[in-house]
Amino acid sequence: GESVGLHLPTLSVQEGDNSIINCAYSNSASDYFIWYKQESGKGPQFIIDIRSNMDKRQGQRVTVLLNKTVKHLSLQIAATQPGDSAVYFCAESNAGGTSYGKLTFGQGTILTVHP
Amino acid sequence: EAQVTQNPRYLITVTGKKLTVTCSQNMNHEYMSWYRQDPGLGLRQIYYSMNVEVTDKGDVPEGYKVSRKEKRNFPLILESPSPNQTSLYFCASSFPGGGGTQYFGPGTRLLVL
């Protein structure tokens, strides 16, 4: 697979556990945040997004929490499955609540799910 | 099938030899973007385009050029490649009106000797 995860934070969980992946963002003017999943040898895949006027958003098995006070973003994955194993990236933008314009990615976190 | 395609997928070249990586999308997306991905650095945006003939610099534009003459195509041009441009490159496109659903291509791995 692609060597994109050298020296990245890692998280190992057992199948069925809940996972929490954290991200600290840098720009206090950012108003739109996205989580991406990247599997080995593939491009990033959109998971969930949140705008700065919200502090929580839920999807299917995933929840994103936003704490603007400390510039922190988290992704919670419920009942983690082996297929969730991947590198997870957060991204931030300040393009008026969209992902248009300049998009800045975090370094990524490697999630490994053990059967 | 809705997709973003990139060519070539793998390329080995030498310093100074001009090259172009093509990107094409069949979803009629207005927004397209190029990223490079390096170990430990995540994805860094090189250039993006809001629409035909509208392009702007991302975080790491030095050494790269782009053009957007047609909505579906957004080629990345390296006029004089250098070894520090060895990387994994991704093209992405998105619907107009915002939203985080950027569709990424499969990636192009470039080695500059």
Side-chain angles (χ1 to χ4, degrees):
Chain A
E2 304 290 0
S3 297
V4 298
L6 297 180
H7 310 302
L8 296 183
T10 59
L11 176 64
S12 292
V13 300
Q14 290 295 128
E15 182 177 1
D17 287 351
N18 296 332
S19 302
I20 299 176
I21 301 171
N22 297 302
C23 175
Y25 64 92
S26 56
N27 187 355
S28 57
S30 292
D31 55 13
Y32 183 68
F33 305 88
I34 313 159
W35 279 101
Y36 288 92
K37 171 186 180 184
Q38 186 176 25
E39 297 174 285
S40 181
K42 296 183 179 179
Q45 179 183 6
F46 171 85
I47 302 173
I48 191 168
D49 58 1
I50 187 168
R51 288 175 170 75
S52 59
N53 60 353
M54 304 171 68
D55 54 22
K56 180 179 180 179
R57 191 170 187 211
Q58 288 184 291
Q60 188 175 15
R61 280 203 307 120
V62 294
T63 300
V64 55
L65 299 178
L66 175 63
N67 186 331
K68 295 182 288 295
T69 303
V70 295
K71 293 190 287 186
H72 183 267
L73 195 66
S74 69
L75 176 71
Q76 300 178 359
I77 305 174
T80 316
Q81 302 166 1
D84 294 327
S85 294
V87 181
Y88 288 81
F89 294 95
C90 63
E92 59 181 301
S93 173
N94 62 351
T98 75
S99 69
Y100 277 10
K102 197 182 266 192
L103 193 62
T104 302
F105 281 75
Q107 291 189 17
T109 297
I110 302 171
L111 174 65
T112 303
V113 183
H114 301 283
Chain B
E1 180 189 354
Q3 61 182 352
V4 178
T5 57
Q6 296 178 226
N7 282 293
R9 292 290 314 279
Y10 302 91
L11 180 60
I12 301 174
T13 189
V14 296
T15 299
K17 185 176 182 181
K18 181 180 178 180
L19 67 91
T20 299
V21 183
T22 64
C23 173
S24 183
Q25 50 92 5
N26 63 359
M27 296 167 279
N28 202 34
H29 288 169
E30 291 182 352
Y31 178 87
M32 297 185 75
S33 184
W34 274 104
Y35 300 87
R36 61 177 289 173
Q37 185 171 36
D38 303 289
L41 295 177
L43 287 101
R44 293 179 292 168
Q45 194 171 40
I46 303 171
Y47 270 94
Y48 60 95
S49 171
M50 299 286 210
N51 212 327
V52 175
E53 303 292 2
V54 180
T55 63
D56 209 344
K57 296 177 180 178
D59 289 318
V60 288
E62 293 77 22
Y64 304 95
K65 286 176 59 177
V66 292
S67 69
R68 189 88 184 275
K69 292 182 169 51
E70 306 167 280
K71 184 182 273 192
R72 64 180 294 136
N73 296 322
F74 191 43
L76 179 70
I77 303 158
L78 284 71
E79 293 272 5
S80 183
S82 61
N84 65 12
Q85 292 179 296
T86 292
S87 188
L88 178 60
Y89 291 87
F90 288 101
C91 179
S93 71
S94 180
F95 288 109
T101 312
Q102 286 199 29
Y103 291 82
F104 280 80
T108 295
R109 183 163 288 282
L110 172 65
L111 173 61
V112 183
L113 301 173

